[in-house]
Amino acid sequence: MSIPHSCRPPLSSIAALTILLAGLAPTACISTDSSQDREEAVSTALERLDGPSLASSLEDDPEDRSFEWPPGDPLDPDTAVSIAMSRDAMVRRSMVAIDKARAGLAQADRAPNPMIELMIGFPIDGLSGAPAMGMAVQQLTWLWTRPHRLAAADADRQAAILFAGDAVINLDAMVRRSHANAVNAERRAELDHEYADSTAGFLQILEALLDVGEASRIDVDRMLVESNHARVSAEASM
């Protein structure tokens, strides 16, 4: 008389098969190379700037002293921005943040590190494979939450790209504004110096007229005050 055998496999075998299939799920398809993300950040910024040649300065080594500005030459706005792009810490830190965000996105696409005991198909604690089933649930939970974690990591990556582009735009605006203020201050200093010279000359004329009786002392004193004020303003402008 033959003994009937059940066709149902043991629960431990089902658990092991489930873990194996979950571990073989297609993951780690996202690259850690952030070059395209950097190019996107730079192109986004350069669309709003007037200097398309500034992109090369962003990749310069900040410790490289090959690019020097001769102090005897006038500093134009584009040269000032190029130097700032290759030296500014905020812009370079924002570019590194893109690399970190890309690495976080790639990490979110990778499964947890496999454990050797998950592949054992028989119970090891006398509880009919309860630890294996527990590990299977952990792996399935990672698969269920994977799309949401990828969406969050990709949002961080896009935010890092926009933040880097904003840093480039802000640096360009700050340098050009500072350059314009410096140029205007230099021109104003020249005008104040010319005004101080003219008031000093006019004071000499009034003093000469006072000597011949053609001007009053009060006119001379007023011009003396004005001349001294113009001289102090010229020194302050310089």
Side-chain angles (χ1 to χ4, degrees), residues 18-28 108-112 135-150:
T18 303
I19 296 171
L20 181 60
L21 293 177
L24 294 177
T27 58
D109 188 43
R110 282 161 170 76
M135 292 304 175
V137 171
Q138 181 183 15
Q139 186 75 358
L140 290 177
T141 302
W142 177 87
L143 291 175
W144 290 334
T145 59
R146 177 174 175 267
H148 306 288
R149 287 182 289 101
L150 286 178

Side-chain angles (χ1 to χ4, degrees), residues 8 21 55 65 87 96 103 128 141 143 154 161 176 182 198 213 221:
R8 299 177 59 185
L21 293 177
R65 308 296 296 178
R87 299 289 192 270
V96 174
S128 300
T141 302
L143 291 175
D154 188 61
I161 292 175
R176 294 184 184 278
S198 62
D221 292 341

